[in-house]
mmCIF file of all heavy atoms in Angstrom:
data_model
loop_
_atom_site.group_PDB
_atom_site.id
_atom_site.type_symbol
_atom_site.label_atom_id
_atom_site.label_comp_id
_atom_site.label_asym_id
_atom_site.label_seq_id
_atom_site.Cartn_x
_atom_site.Cartn_y
_atom_site.Cartn_z
ATOM 1 N N LEU A 132 7.577 2.802 -5.186
ATOM 2 C CA LEU A 132 8.735 2.001 -5.007
ATOM 3 C C LEU A 132 8.880 1.035 -6.206
ATOM 4 O O LEU A 132 9.734 0.208 -6.177
ATOM 5 C CB LEU A 132 8.605 1.117 -3.757
ATOM 6 C CG LEU A 132 8.774 1.931 -2.399
ATOM 7 C CD1 LEU A 132 8.431 1.061 -1.225
ATOM 8 C CD2 LEU A 132 10.094 2.531 -2.335
ATOM 9 N N ASP A 133 8.076 1.084 -7.254
ATOM 10 C CA ASP A 133 8.154 0.157 -8.405
ATOM 11 C C ASP A 133 8.019 -1.290 -7.905
ATOM 12 O O ASP A 133 8.761 -2.251 -8.344
ATOM 13 C CB ASP A 133 9.432 0.367 -9.181
ATOM 14 C CG ASP A 133 9.470 -0.209 -10.493
ATOM 15 O OD1 ASP A 133 8.274 -0.613 -11.036
ATOM 16 O OD2 ASP A 133 10.445 -0.307 -11.194
ATOM 17 N N ALA A 134 7.198 -1.568 -6.967
ATOM 18 C CA ALA A 134 6.936 -2.951 -6.444
ATOM 19 C C ALA A 134 6.358 -3.864 -7.427
ATOM 20 O O ALA A 134 5.508 -3.571 -8.331
ATOM 21 C CB ALA A 134 6.107 -2.849 -5.120
ATOM 22 N N THR A 135 6.671 -5.213 -7.270
ATOM 23 C CA THR A 135 6.089 -6.192 -7.992
ATOM 24 C C THR A 135 5.268 -7.075 -7.047
ATOM 25 O O THR A 135 5.919 -7.427 -5.989
ATOM 26 C CB THR A 135 7.024 -7.022 -8.796
ATOM 27 O OG1 THR A 135 7.793 -6.173 -9.756
ATOM 28 C CG2 THR A 135 6.616 -8.261 -9.592
ATOM 29 N N LEU A 136 4.143 -7.492 -7.391
ATOM 30 C CA LEU A 136 3.247 -8.252 -6.429
ATOM 31 C C LEU A 136 3.202 -9.589 -7.048
ATOM 32 O O LEU A 136 2.977 -9.887 -8.176
ATOM 33 C CB LEU A 136 1.828 -7.715 -6.367
ATOM 34 C CG LEU A 136 1.876 -6.199 -6.082
ATOM 35 C CD1 LEU A 136 0.344 -5.683 -6.103
ATOM 36 C CD2 LEU A 136 2.467 -5.876 -4.686
ATOM 37 N N VAL A 137 3.526 -10.644 -6.083
ATOM 38 C CA VAL A 137 3.481 -12.116 -6.471
ATOM 39 C C VAL A 137 2.004 -12.637 -6.043
ATOM 40 O O VAL A 137 1.839 -12.622 -4.878
ATOM 41 C CB VAL A 137 4.752 -12.840 -5.884
ATOM 42 C CG1 VAL A 137 4.673 -14.320 -6.341
ATOM 43 C CG2 VAL A 137 6.062 -12.163 -6.462
ATOM 44 N N LEU A 138 1.373 -13.250 -6.997
ATOM 45 C CA LEU A 138 0.103 -13.803 -6.771
ATOM 46 C C LEU A 138 0.218 -15.220 -7.082
ATOM 47 O O LEU A 138 0.732 -15.723 -8.174
ATOM 48 C CB LEU A 138 -0.931 -13.172 -7.669
ATOM 49 C CG LEU A 138 -1.022 -11.641 -7.636
ATOM 50 C CD1 LEU A 138 -1.966 -11.180 -8.774
ATOM 51 C CD2 LEU A 138 -1.403 -11.152 -6.308
ATOM 52 N N GLU A 139 -0.389 -16.081 -6.102
ATOM 53 C CA GLU A 139 -0.377 -17.557 -6.305
ATOM 54 C C GLU A 139 -1.959 -18.060 -6.355
ATOM 55 O O GLU A 139 -2.665 -17.600 -5.468
ATOM 56 C CB GLU A 139 0.385 -18.314 -5.146
ATOM 57 C CG GLU A 139 1.956 -18.081 -5.487
ATOM 58 C CD GLU A 139 2.738 -19.054 -4.568
ATOM 59 O OE1 GLU A 139 2.344 -20.153 -4.470
ATOM 60 O OE2 GLU A 139 3.659 -18.497 -3.922
ATOM 61 N N GLY A 140 -2.164 -18.974 -7.428
ATOM 62 C CA GLY A 140 -3.442 -19.465 -7.336
ATOM 63 C C GLY A 140 -3.409 -20.874 -7.948
ATOM 64 O O GLY A 140 -2.303 -21.324 -8.054
ATOM 65 N N PRO A 141 -4.508 -21.427 -8.376
ATOM 66 C CA PRO A 141 -4.557 -22.819 -8.767
ATOM 67 C C PRO A 141 -3.798 -22.994 -10.013
ATOM 68 O O PRO A 141 -3.248 -24.115 -10.409
ATOM 69 C CB PRO A 141 -5.961 -23.253 -8.941
ATOM 70 C CG PRO A 141 -6.769 -21.904 -8.813
ATOM 71 C CD PRO A 141 -5.895 -21.015 -8.165
ATOM 72 N N LYS A 142 -3.669 -21.843 -10.868
ATOM 73 C CA LYS A 142 -2.985 -22.106 -12.105
ATOM 74 C C LYS A 142 -1.356 -21.836 -11.894
ATOM 75 O O LYS A 142 -0.687 -21.742 -12.862
ATOM 76 C CB LYS A 142 -3.416 -21.015 -13.170
ATOM 77 C CG LYS A 142 -4.876 -21.442 -13.638
ATOM 78 C CD LYS A 142 -5.345 -20.508 -14.730
ATOM 79 C CE LYS A 142 -6.870 -20.518 -14.767
ATOM 80 N NZ LYS A 142 -7.559 -19.114 -14.853
ATOM 81 N N GLY A 143 -0.990 -21.477 -10.724
ATOM 82 C CA GLY A 143 0.454 -21.249 -10.501
ATOM 83 C C GLY A 143 0.637 -19.777 -9.934
ATOM 84 O O GLY A 143 -0.169 -19.183 -9.423
ATOM 85 N N LYS A 144 1.854 -19.398 -10.211
ATOM 86 C CA LYS A 144 2.386 -18.135 -9.769
ATOM 87 C C LYS A 144 2.479 -17.049 -10.794
ATOM 88 O O LYS A 144 2.906 -17.478 -11.941
ATOM 89 C CB LYS A 144 3.779 -18.277 -9.215
ATOM 90 C CG LYS A 144 4.188 -17.591 -7.992
ATOM 91 C CD LYS A 144 5.636 -17.849 -7.542
ATOM 92 C CE LYS A 144 5.715 -18.603 -6.433
ATOM 93 N NZ LYS A 144 7.089 -18.583 -5.872
ATOM 94 N N ARG A 145 2.074 -15.745 -10.579
ATOM 95 C CA ARG A 145 2.333 -14.761 -11.592
ATOM 96 C C ARG A 145 2.813 -13.391 -10.709
ATOM 97 O O ARG A 145 2.416 -13.284 -9.625
ATOM 98 C CB ARG A 145 1.083 -14.574 -12.455
ATOM 99 C CG ARG A 145 -0.101 -13.941 -11.749
ATOM 100 C CD ARG A 145 -1.400 -13.966 -12.675
ATOM 101 N NE ARG A 145 -2.585 -13.401 -11.942
ATOM 102 C CZ ARG A 145 -3.037 -12.187 -12.137
ATOM 103 N NH1 ARG A 145 -2.546 -11.446 -13.077
ATOM 104 N NH2 ARG A 145 -4.076 -11.824 -11.354
#
Side-chain angles (χ1 to χ4, degrees):
L132 291 172
D133 195 16
T135 297
L136 310 175
V137 180
L138 307 172
E139 284 191 50
K142 293 185 199 130
K144 215 183 247 199
R145 66 187 178 109

